[in-house]
Amino acid sequence: MDRPRITIFDTTLRDGEQSPGCSMNVQEKLRLAQQLDRLGVDVIEAGFPIASDGDFEAVQRISASVRRPIIAGLARACKGDIDRAWESLQGAARPRIHVFLATSDIHLKYKLRISREQCLEQACEAVRHAKSLCADVEFSPEDATRTEVSFLCQVVEAVIAAGATTVNIPDTVGYSMPEEYGQLIRTLREKVAGIEKVTISTHCHNDLGLAVANSLAGVQEGARQVECTINGIGERAGNASLEEIAMAMRVRRDRYPYETGIVSEQLYPSSQTLAEITRVPVQPNKAITGRNAFAHEAGIHQDGILKNPLTYEIMTPQSVGVPDSRLVLGKHSGRHALALRCEQLGHPFERRELDEVYRKFVVLADRIKKVQDCHLLELIQDVKTAAKKIPPAGAALPFARAAAAGSASESHLLSFPAPAPAPRVPVTLGEHHGEQEEYLWGV
Ligand SMILES: [Zn+2]
């Protein structure tokens, strides 16, 4: 079945870079652009060339070395900006000039101090000029969602006639609701002459946490390009998050039957690269790329995941490039998860031995909350050392922990008294207590 293709327009290097603490130097931008290329984005907005020499150089360097995606340079609706953008894009295999001009009355009156007529004229003139230089021209009516709809339609129709090939509808201040944003895209498709010749694009900000929802609503109403950023970085609360858009379409193909060129296994590496470059960490519970996005701590969840990942996972960590679904070992973990982690650390245990490890683990987890591999290794060592000292059956010696008290392996972690080796439980009491037993320890 042929699914409509959604163009992924990444603006991490432009809108994203405008977010506090996320500025990058030319070398860093180049490195990120190369990662975006591996990720499979269709368009990289590489910068705002008139803004600074650094931005200009970044667009230039990226144009020269990243050849597959379209490289876009941003420009205000004036000749100087457009010429500068075009100059920076000279080496690009597939250049795009992205022109923007605010259209809402509040921006026209207080920011630009121009009338609607002047706005319309300036937009058309700018697009015509950009088109005289570059075949691929995108136009954005800034603050589109707060622009009077009939005026927005008028502007969009005019810039299409002037040569724009993509029309982007920014929710610049993150004010829209999904239904409302979808309705706006639908209205443009119904009312604007020539709209079928161009690509409609979404550009949603996350001030109300709705950037992704709004973008998807736009796609459902016919938008075929989504502007977004890695980790959702961007002005204020950020932009629509690229990884969330891409995975929503992949996981819920039944509701969003669209294709993107995103190589999903590169999502996590891209997120990590950006976090490393900007030193802005990803929030732990961030969908798709946060460190807890695939972490399961509750014992019943861990056990389910181990038996069949589909019980609690709607996508695999591997599908987004997370190396391993990290089961966080804490006091709510079940013994199944513990057994697996021990095995992964090279210590497979028989059931009886595991009982012992598990008892100590629960006591330790109660004290230190998250049991790391290093703690677990020490604990395992401790249990193994103790096991060697178990006297032969019938001997009446007490558990000889004191004898080993000086050894480094056990002194610092396990200050609680080690229990005596588990007595042999009569089989009638149930050596194996069935599936539910796995959870009793953790609750
Ligand atoms: Zn923006």
Side-chain angles (χ1 to χ4, degrees):
M1 193 172 97
D2 252 6
R3 295 165 184 267
R5 165 74 184 244
I6 306 299
T7 296
I8 298 294
F9 177 114
D10 180 278
T11 184
T12 306
L13 292 168
R14 202 278 300 165
D15 205 327
E17 207 236 356
Q18 286 174 224
S19 49
C22 287
S23 55
M24 297 171 238
N25 64 32
V26 173
Q27 203 52 45
E28 291 166 339
K29 286 183 180 178
L30 189 60
R31 183 179 158 208
L32 190 65
Q34 283 157 349
Q35 177 58 37
L36 292 170
D37 187 14
R38 283 191 283 276
L39 177 61
V41 306
D42 302 289
V43 186
I44 294 175
E45 186 161 57
F48 191 178
I50 196 90
S52 71
D53 289 346
D55 256 44
F56 181 89
E57 196 192 335
V59 177
Q60 212 172 32
R61 298 266 308 270
I62 292 167
S63 295
S65 66
V66 182
R67 311 297 291 173
R68 180 196 55 81
I70 292 169
I71 306 298
L74 186 68
R76 286 170 300 186
C78 59
K79 190 170 181 301
D81 276 38
I82 295 167
D83 289 344
R84 188 76 172 146
W86 182 236
E87 199 186 334
S88 70
L89 290 165
Q90 283 308 297
R94 302 167 68 197
R96 172 181 294 186
I97 299 176
H98 179 190
V99 179
F100 75 99
L101 180 67
T103 51
S104 65
D105 286 337
I106 192 166
H107 277 237
L108 294 187
K109 186 171 172 195
Y110 294 100
K111 189 178 86 174
L112 302 175
R113 296 171 202 276
I114 57 174
S115 67
R116 285 187 178 182
E117 291 66 35
Q118 287 170 308
C119 168
L120 195 59
E121 185 45 45
Q122 192 181 333
C124 289
E125 206 177 309
V127 169
R128 272 194 297 270
H129 180 58
K131 189 73 175 187
S132 73
L133 305 170
C134 180
D136 188 343
V137 175
E138 173 169 331
F139 179 79
S140 291
E142 187 189 0
D143 204 17
T145 52
R146 292 195 302 173
T147 300
E148 202 239 318
V149 178
S150 63
F151 181 59
L152 182 66
C153 290
Q154 211 183 334
V155 173
V156 170
E157 195 166 308
V159 296
I160 293 172
T165 43
T166 297
V167 174
N168 181 44
I169 307 299
D171 184 24
T172 305
V173 292
Y175 178 71
S176 257
M177 291 287 138
E179 258 186 39
E180 195 181 11
Y181 190 79
Q183 173 66 55
L184 182 60
I185 302 295
R186 193 185 323 152
T187 303
L188 290 168
R189 289 184 68 201
E190 285 166 3
K191 302 233 163 113
V192 173
I195 194 87
E196 70 288 344
K197 294 184 295 192
V198 303
T199 301
I200 304 174
S201 168
T202 69
H203 181 109
C204 298
H205 277 269
N206 208 33
D207 298 70
L208 293 173
L210 294 168
V212 169
N214 286 341
S215 306
L216 292 172
V219 167
Q220 279 190 310
E221 293 298 339
R224 290 294 173 263
Q225 173 177 287
V226 173
E227 302 197 357
C228 45
T229 61
I230 301 296
N231 295 340
I233 68 167
E235 289 270 19
R236 306 181 311 279
N239 285 70
S241 138
L242 185 152
E243 51 278 1
E244 293 173 26
I245 297 275
M247 292 313 288
M249 289 189 200
R250 186 149 314 183
V251 172
R252 295 308 305 273
R253 291 165 83 100
D254 54 328
R255 307 288 298 196
Y256 298 95
Y258 310 102
E259 292 294 346
T260 71
I262 293 299
V263 179
S264 65
E265 291 79 5
Q266 289 294 331
L267 287 170
Y268 187 72
S270 302
S271 165
Q272 290 294 300
T273 302
L274 176 64
E276 191 191 314
I277 289 174
T278 59
R279 295 193 186 82
V280 175
V282 184
Q283 88 190 54
N285 60 321
K286 168 79 178 62
I288 319 294
T289 54
R291 84 178 124 81
N292 289 348
F294 294 93
H296 304 273
E297 182 173 336
I300 191 159
H301 287 215
Q302 292 189 339
D303 190 58
I305 286 282
L306 295 171
K307 285 172 176 153
N308 181 347
L310 291 177
T311 52
Y312 287 100
E313 267 178 11
I314 58 169
M315 58 196 145
T316 65
Q318 293 77 19
S319 71
V320 301
V322 173
D324 187 22
S325 170
R326 286 165 301 167
L327 298 179
V328 176
L329 290 178
K331 67 175 176 180
H332 303 298
S333 301
R335 66 171 70 196
H336 188 176
L338 179 70
L340 183 80
R341 180 62 62 84
C342 290
E343 212 174 295
Q344 286 168 340
L345 292 172
H347 298 278
F349 283 112
E350 295 295 308
R351 187 167 189 94
R352 191 179 305 277
E353 283 178 306
L354 186 66
D355 283 348
E356 185 61 17
V357 175
Y358 195 78
R359 274 190 200 94
K360 295 192 178 208
F361 164 78
V362 169
V363 176
L364 181 64
D366 214 24
R367 282 178 29 222
I368 67 170
K369 235 172 139 184
K370 281 207 170 76
V371 181
Q372 311 282 344
D373 288 348
C374 59
H375 302 138
L376 195 55
L377 281 167
E378 288 191 68
L379 192 149
I380 290 168
Q381 207 51 51
D382 196 65
V383 170
K384 291 202 163 175
T385 309
K388 282 187 197 136
K389 291 175 184 151
I390 294 176
L397 290 172
F399 185 67
R401 186 183 180 82
S407 88
S409 70
E410 64 177 349
S411 53
H412 47 290
L413 269 176
L414 306 169
S415 58
F416 55 91
R424 285 198 171 275
V425 180
V427 176
T428 49
L429 285 182
E431 181 81 46
H432 192 287
H433 312 277
E435 294 302 313
Q436 286 304 311
E437 179 214 14
E438 305 290 337
Y439 313 125
L440 293 178
W441 288 85
V443 290

